[in-house]
Each structure stands twice: as structure tokens, then as C-alpha cells.
Amino acid sequence: MDIWISLMRRCKNNDKEAFNSLLSHHEAYLYKICYFYTQNQETALDIMQEVFLKIYRSIHTFDENRPLLPWLKRIAVNTCLNFQRDNKKYNQLSLDLELSEELSLKDTIKSQMDVEGEVIRHSNQELIGKCIEALPPNYRIALTLKYIEDMRYEEIAAVLEQPLGTVKSNIFRARNLLKNTLKDYNLLEV
Amino acid sequence: MCRLNPEMLQLYIDSELNSLEKFLLEEHLKDCTSCRKELNRLKILDWDFNSMAEKIDIPAQLLSLRISTLDQHIKEAQEEAEPTFGLKEVYELQYNTLKNTVNFIQYLPGNRLLTSSGRKLSKRLKPTFLSKIIGL
Ligand SMILES: [Zn+2]
């Protein structure tokens, strides 16, 4: 019998050792998804606790004939998206982002950076991290799958169950927003 | 001001253009300084993103978080599933099984003959556990 299938059956039997072994193989990878999405270690760990629980609780429904990793990924992605749903700030900024909203989001990011007053001391990547945090969930999750998973647009659309055009425009807008913001600080010049 | 669709540059760095689109864009880049600059900015941003993704540290707390989460919930689940089966229940179950096994005799042909001869026989014998169950 396939070693993964036998491990899975032991998990379904509430075998703690088997669960530890299964999760230890995948947790680092799942954590990276959560971290890139939140850009915050504490929040990423909070989400991971939910991810562990969800895997434990729903392993019984997992079909052994299907690949495990996409199933785990989907749990991590959905947990990220559902986390802090009550944070209504960005929920309205969904698919059809108006130019005015885009500009106001850009202002939010800018003011966040100015308040810190540390633009020069920050590296590009620290600033990008802060910017990602301020993006709407739809943008962040698309960027996460693109850069952590190295997924193509079509694969991202499949995982998120969104139309290809939506994914394309979310990635475009997210990156455009960051590019324009960083450009204003002359941070993207060669 | 260049009139190229700005989405094209991002699709280009993501390798999402088909070969014709790619060719046309590369031809355009030869003559358009502003698009070349813009492409460079996007490339830097893309490089930063990739580097951020590669640099993510896995905190030591992740391991202890997994262990404590599993410890807590697997313990709970096992307590729920704890059997409450005593000796009394085992006897009852065995008794019922035996009773059900012999009940089918009632539906066999020649049942009455068997019963009457059984009764005659049982008059001469001491009642047993089995005879009590099947009512002979
Ligand atoms: Zn151009």
C-alpha cells in the first residue's frame, strides 16, 4: 500500500503520531502561504492554528484517491480568506475597484509609510510588506499564490474558483498600486 | 505618452503572453523608452516579491503550536469515544444473541412435532438454561 494512503488511514483513526508526521511534512509550506498573505508572524501563526484544526477535523472527508497537497493548500487559502472577515475596511474594495478608490488606497499606504517617517531606513522589501498588508484580501491572496506557489494565472483561478479575468486584473491592480507607490519614493529606479 | 495597454508589461514578465503578443511587445520596447523604464520597475518589484517569498523564516513556535493543537484535540476526541461497556451489557448481549439464534426454530417445518416430543423429553429431564430460553 502507498505510504501516504496508509498514513492517511492512520490519521483518520485519530492516530496522533500519524497526524504529527503528516503535518510536519507540509506545515512549513502552508505557513509560508499564511505569512506572505498577512506579512505578520503572529497573525500567520493564528491562522495556522486554525489550519491544523481544520485538517484534523476534516481528514475523515478526504478522498484518498485524490492528491493531498492541493487539498491542504485549499484549506490554508480558505482559512486566510475567512480570517478577520469582520475587518470590513477592505471588503468593499472588491472586484470593480474604481479609480477613486484606488487612489484613496494609495493614499492610505502612503500615509502609513509617512507616519512611520522611516522611508529611507526601510528596505524595499520591508515597504512592500507593509503595502501588502494594506491591500484588499482578493489582491493579497492572488499575489500569494503567484509568488509562494509560482502558479500561473489559470491555476490561481482554479484554486480560488474565480474567473481568469478577475485573477488577472487583481494581480495587475495590486502590483500596479505597489509600483506607483514605490515609484513616488524613487524606490524602483535602477 | 505611450498608448500601449499597461497590462501587457505585467503579462510579459509573468510569461503569460502568447508568442505573437510577445513578439509585438518586444518590437515595441525597442522604440519606446517609457515602456522600457516601466518594465524595469516591474522587474525590480517582481524580484523583490520573489525574494520576499524565498526569505520567509519558519518560526520555532510552529512546531509547538502543532503539537499542542493535536494534543488538546485528539485527547478530547478520545474521551468522547471512550466505551461505557460493562460486564452486565456483555451478558445481556450474549443472552439476546442466543435467544435470537434459537427463535428461528419456531419457523422450521415440523416445529410442533419437535416441540411436543421435546416436551415429553423435558418432563424426564431437569430444566436447563437452554430450555428456559426457548420455552420448552
Ligand atoms: Zn510604450
Side-chain angles (χ1 to χ4, degrees):
Chain A
M1 187 169 23
D2 185 297
I3 187 164
W4 284 107
I5 293 184
S6 86
L7 187 66
M8 205 65 70
R9 295 206 176 140
R10 284 169 56 206
C11 287
K12 288 181 178 183
N13 265 327
N14 262 335
D15 179 334
K16 203 196 286 180
E17 282 309 303
F19 260 114
N20 270 311
S21 164
L22 178 85
L23 295 176
S24 71
H25 273 93
H26 300 289
E27 65 195 4
Y29 176 71
L30 299 176
Y31 173 82
K32 284 184 184 177
I33 294 178
C34 299
Y35 182 84
F36 196 91
Y37 179 78
T38 60
Q39 293 293 316
N40 179 297
Q41 180 176 305
E42 207 180 316
T43 320
L45 285 170
D46 282 348
I47 297 179
M48 276 307 287
Q49 182 168 25
E50 264 184 53
V51 170
F52 285 145
L53 257 182
K54 278 188 193 165
I55 294 172
Y56 168 68
R57 287 193 176 136
S58 51
I59 193 90
H60 310 94
T61 65
F62 177 74
D63 177 358
E64 288 157 14
N65 300 313
R66 306 189 63 176
L68 175 67
L69 198 55
W71 184 74
L72 295 174
K73 253 184 238 177
R74 203 180 285 263
I75 289 181
V77 165
N78 288 338
T79 313
C80 283
L81 286 172
N82 286 323
F83 199 76
Q84 289 176 334
R85 264 276 158 84
D86 50 334
N87 184 357
K88 294 207 172 73
K89 198 172 164 195
Y90 297 115
N91 281 359
Q92 278 74 37
L93 295 174
S94 55
L95 308 182
D96 289 307
L97 197 67
E98 296 296 323
L99 183 64
S100 61
E101 286 174 315
E102 194 162 326
L103 287 173
S104 80
L105 181 62
K106 205 173 135 187
D107 282 344
T108 312
I109 293 171
K110 265 190 191 173
S111 68
Q112 211 177 20
M113 282 161 51
D114 286 339
V115 165
E116 307 248 324
E118 295 174 347
V119 174
I120 294 152
R121 282 199 281 136
H122 281 307
S123 73
N124 255 23
Q125 289 170 25
E126 283 167 331
L127 282 176
I128 291 172
K130 285 185 185 304
C131 294
I132 293 177
E133 261 182 275
L135 290 174
N138 267 332
Y139 291 10
R140 277 191 280 152
I141 200 69
L143 285 179
T144 303
L145 294 175
K146 164 116 189 65
Y147 287 104
I148 295 291
E149 306 265 336
D150 202 18
M151 278 187 181
R152 300 189 63 83
Y153 293 0
E154 262 181 49
E155 297 171 287
I156 298 174
V159 170
L160 297 180
E161 291 169 334
Q162 285 174 350
L164 183 62
T166 305
V167 168
K168 214 192 236 185
S169 92
N170 282 350
I171 291 177
F172 172 74
R173 281 171 166 165
R175 247 183 336 205
N176 218 31
L177 212 56
L178 294 180
K179 186 201 67 192
N180 291 339
T181 309
L182 295 171
K183 197 166 87 177
D184 290 349
Y185 292 92
N186 282 320
L187 290 170
L188 292 175
E189 305 310 314
V190 196
Chain B
M1 192 57 190
C2 175
R3 297 182 65 185
L4 182 96
N5 176 0
E7 232 180 273
M8 294 291 278
L9 291 172
Q10 291 208 22
L11 295 174
Y12 180 64
I13 61 165
D14 289 341
S15 312
E16 297 271 356
L17 291 181
N18 66 39
S19 49
L20 178 63
E21 292 168 323
K22 194 177 162 221
F23 172 77
L24 291 173
L25 181 73
E26 282 169 352
E27 285 301 301
H28 173 81
L29 287 170
K30 285 178 185 167
D31 299 323
C32 181
T33 328
S34 74
C35 276
R36 280 206 303 270
K37 274 191 181 168
E38 198 66 0
L39 183 66
N40 276 332
R41 292 186 187 112
L42 283 170
K43 278 184 178 169
I44 293 172
L45 186 64
D46 193 57
W47 187 88
D48 279 329
F49 273 131
N50 277 316
S51 154
M52 286 165 75
E54 277 165 26
K55 278 197 309 202
I56 297 174
D57 289 323
I58 308 301
Q61 296 101 298
L62 187 62
L63 173 71
S64 45
L65 180 73
R66 182 230 306 158
I67 290 174
S68 66
T69 308
L70 285 183
D71 275 354
Q72 190 190 340
H73 292 275
I74 292 190
K75 209 174 161 192
E76 273 173 20
Q78 277 166 352
E79 273 163 15
E80 272 168 38
E82 198 68 39
T84 53
F85 226 65
L87 208 56
K88 187 170 163 265
E89 284 83 3
V90 175
Y91 280 135
E92 226 156 66
L93 192 73
Q94 279 181 340
Y95 177 85
N96 285 334
T97 310
L98 190 58
K99 197 171 172 182
N100 288 334
T101 312
V102 294
N103 263 354
F104 87 102
I105 292 174
Q106 312 250 351
Y107 304 97
L108 285 178
N111 164 40
R112 272 181 209 160
L113 190 71
L114 192 74
T115 313
S116 62
S117 58
R119 275 202 188 108
K120 279 174 200 162
L121 193 69
S122 67
K123 276 175 194 164
R124 278 178 267 149
L125 295 170
K126 283 180 185 167
T128 62
F129 183 54
L130 184 64
S131 67
K132 270 185 207 160
I133 294 171
I134 49 179
L136 286 175

